[in-house]
Amino acid sequence: MTPSDHYAVFGHPISHSKSPRIHQLFARQLNDDIVYTAQDVRPECFEVAVRTFRAGGGKGLNCTVPLKEAAFRRADELSDRARLSGAVNTLMWRDEHLFGDNTDGVGLLRDLTLNLGLSLEDRRILILGAGGAARGILGPILEQRPEEVVIANRTLSRARELARRFASLGTITAVGFDQLEAKPFDLILNATAAGLKGEIPPLPDGLVATGGCCYDLMYGDQPTLFVRWGRAQGAKLSTDGLGMLVEQAAEAYLIWRGRRPDTRPVIALLRQGGQPRQTERKC
Ligand code: ATR
């Protein structure tokens, strides 16, 4: 009997990862025989864990927080989008050559445009946060030619650095949270890690345009604080990042196995019993 192809997600912490379930659902849908596991790997153990996984016949890896930069450094070859974002979330061996890609940005974009039907062209977009998550989504967002992207971050210098890095791709401004005018945005994306500590960035009222949307790159079994903030601010749509998670996983699956799973039934299944996809404004 041929052994199943083995994939894994490395991260720390990892116990709550939904990736094994998502990839098992993809494999079932496409009649593929794969094993996908989650491994708790600290950054200092990354190199050894990668080598051990490969020695055991592993085919490809996903890397999540805090390993995306280490995966970027480890890859022998990078896709253009991985190089631009400075982070890798998908690794694949081509013989012994390790190819690194980043599917986060395209995953977000597919969720926003295909699943939620939003257009980013000529829109005013606010990105909260200037860490790895923000860097991973900026390129694909700017490709959609929004009118303007404002990056707001607690540490202004990091927002400025990010704005400089992507300046050639569109109109980007960097501000601190205290400099955020209550100028309305069509889309506000939360790419901060504040939710992990049960916080949201300090935001003034009036930031959400009429018909505007809020999107949290994080997700949880309950609506996140930011999703609730968006709802309270009257957003037409305020949703978490579960759709992005499934879409970035489908892109990784495509890279590894050459076939793209249908994401909609998987998103619907993961939503079952959890919060509804969107919180519509009542007025
Ligand atoms: P990730 O890869 O998840 O983006 P990161 O690179 O450590 O992780 O970045 C975390 C982001 O969340 C940063 O923008 C950080 O702000 P600073 O650059 O000022 O550190 C932001 N962040 C974390 N905790 C926050 C909080 N309590 N309030 C606001 N922003 C926060």
Side-chain angles (χ1 to χ4, degrees), residues 64-226:
T64 187
V65 177
L67 303 173
K68 292 181 188 180
E69 285 78 14
F72 175 83
R73 289 190 298 272
R74 179 62 183 77
D76 300 311
E77 186 194 345
L78 293 165
S79 67
D80 288 345
R81 59 194 184 188
R83 196 171 298 111
L84 188 64
S85 68
V88 157
N89 77 338
T90 303
L91 288 165
M92 178 187 179
W93 279 273
R94 293 175 172 166
D95 299 319
E96 286 319 301
H97 198 73
L98 194 54
F99 170 71
D101 203 342
N102 190 326
T103 65
D104 285 335
V106 68
L108 171 68
L109 220 62
R110 287 184 70 91
D111 196 37
L112 289 172
T113 59
L114 300 178
N115 300 339
L116 299 172
L118 304 178
S119 165
L120 307 194
E121 195 175 346
D122 294 329
R123 299 288 196 263
R124 296 194 70 244
I125 299 176
L126 172 62
I127 297 179
L128 308 171
R135 205 167 55 205
I137 62 171
L138 260 167
I141 285 177
L142 289 164
E143 269 174 24
Q144 300 293 304
R145 293 183 297 154
E147 182 188 311
E148 182 187 15
V149 171
V150 175
I151 305 170
N153 197 43
R154 187 172 60 180
T155 311
L156 178 57
S157 57
R158 283 186 92 188
R160 285 200 173 129
E161 212 254 291
L162 211 54
R164 255 197 310 273
R165 188 183 175 112
F166 287 87
S168 62
L169 302 181
T171 308
I172 318 179
T173 320
V175 298
F177 291 125
D178 55 349
Q179 296 164 288
L180 263 180
E181 302 160 48
K183 225 162 85 179
F185 290 89
D186 302 301
L187 176 63
I188 305 180
L189 295 155
N190 181 27
T192 72
L196 294 175
K197 294 172 225 144
E199 296 169 10
I200 56 166
L203 302 171
D205 290 336
L207 282 182
V208 183
T210 307
C213 299
C214 293
Y215 191 104
D216 197 342
L217 269 61
M218 297 213 168
Y219 59 89
D221 291 332
Q222 299 300 316
T224 65
L225 273 180
F226 179 73

